[in-house]
Amino acid sequence: QVQLVQSGAEVKKPGSSVKVSCKASGGTFSSYAISWVRQAPGQGLEWMGGIIPIFGTANYAQKFQGRVTITTDESTSTAYMELSSLRSEDTAVYYCARGLHYDSSGYYRYWGQGTLVTVSS
Amino acid sequence: QSVLTQPPSVSGAPGQRVTISCTGSSSNIGAGYDVHWYQQLPGTAPKLLIYGNSNRPSGVPDRFSGSKSGTSASLAITGLQAEDEADYYCQSYDSSLSGSNVVFGGGTKLTVL
């Protein structure tokens, strides 16, 4: 059974950066799309970007271009999402989710437990 | 402003049938991209409910069904139960001049009366 386990909650100052990890187990890592989705308090789901590890090139939502970097470490089956220039509006729960085999456009059967990032001075 | 439009809320009594709509455009649902649905209970990660417009993952009751037509899709829940009270999100893919992205609806809160 595929499991995605994310790193713990973070509290950050405005203007700083945060890096959240997502460790996969129980299945092939390299050929499945991994996406990051965030959810601000009381709000809906927002796709930030995604990557297929074996290809190595990430695709980002226009809203986050220049501020977000998604990477993977195939040796540890871990995906990372780094968000910079943090502002209070970035306070949210950040989820990683596993998509389809060699397909970045599909659905997410497996989700991490979520990581709360709080941006506060 | 979400690319896919859902009603903010729907409600129904136990045993009734409710539907949740998801309206897109010619660059996403209307372009032939599949629609998927998720259920999110408070404080938990989303759970895949319907994939590929109308397919249920194993373990999802057949009370849940999905359909797609033109630039819209719908999620139907029959035999409403108290445990169905949750937020529901549709998801598709959007490809336009500004790029290609996964897109979500704004979410619909289902209240079981």
Side-chain angles (χ1 to χ4, degrees), chain A residues 39 47 59 95 105-106 108, chain B residues 38 40 44 89 91 100-102:
Chain A
Q39 186 171 36
W47 183 80
N59 180 36
Y95 293 102
S105 66
Y108 305 113
Chain B
Y38 300 88
Q40 187 178 34
T44 68
Y89 295 90
Q91 177 221 323
S100 298
N101 290 327
V102 169

Side-chain angles (χ1 to χ4, degrees), chain A residues 75-115:
Chain A
S75 69
T76 59
S77 298
T78 303
Y80 299 92
M81 186 283 301
E82 183 169 22
L83 188 62
S84 61
S85 302
L86 290 170
R87 35 214 190 224
S88 59
E89 310 90 86
D90 294 318
T91 294
V93 174
Y94 290 76
Y95 293 102
C96 63
R98 196 184 88 156
L100 301 183
H101 197 231
Y102 291 117
D103 183 355
S104 299
S105 66
Y107 55 89
Y108 305 113
R109 190 185 297 268
Y110 302 105
W111 293 71
Q113 83 275 20
T115 296

Side-chain angles (χ1 to χ4, degrees), chain B residues 78-103:
Chain B
T78 58
L80 209 54
Q81 299 180 4
E83 68 212 47
D84 299 333
E85 189 161 290
D87 294 324
Y88 293 83
Y89 295 90
C90 60
Q91 177 221 323
S92 187
Y93 194 72
D94 187 275
S95 186
S96 64
L97 290 176
S98 58
S100 298
N101 290 327
V102 169
V103 289

Side-chain angles (χ1 to χ4, degrees), chain B:
Chain B
Q1 211 81 329
S2 301
V3 173
L4 304 178
T5 301
Q6 298 180 233
S9 63
V10 297
S11 62
Q16 283 190 332
R17 178 182 187 268
V18 296
T19 61
I20 299 172
S21 61
C22 174
T23 303
S25 68
S26 59
S27 64
N28 41 69
I29 299 175
Y33 292 110
D34 286 341
V35 178
H36 322 293
W37 292 89
Y38 300 88
Q39 177 192 61
Q40 187 178 34
L41 299 171
T44 68
K47 169 191 171 185
L48 181 66
L49 205 59
I50 297 288
Y51 67 94
N53 305 315
S54 59
N55 301 290
R56 281 187 311 278
S58 60
V60 173
D62 59 6
R63 302 186 296 105
F64 295 90
S65 63
S67 63
K68 172 189 159 184
S69 178
T71 58
S72 295
S74 287
L75 172 71
I77 310 171
T78 58
L80 209 54
Q81 299 180 4
E83 68 212 47
D84 299 333
E85 189 161 290
D87 294 324
Y88 293 83
Y89 295 90
C90 60
Q91 177 221 323
S92 187
Y93 194 72
D94 187 275
S95 186
S96 64
L97 290 176
S98 58
S100 298
N101 290 327
V102 169
V103 289
F104 286 97
T108 299
K109 181 174 181 57
L110 168 62
T111 301
V112 180
L113 302 171

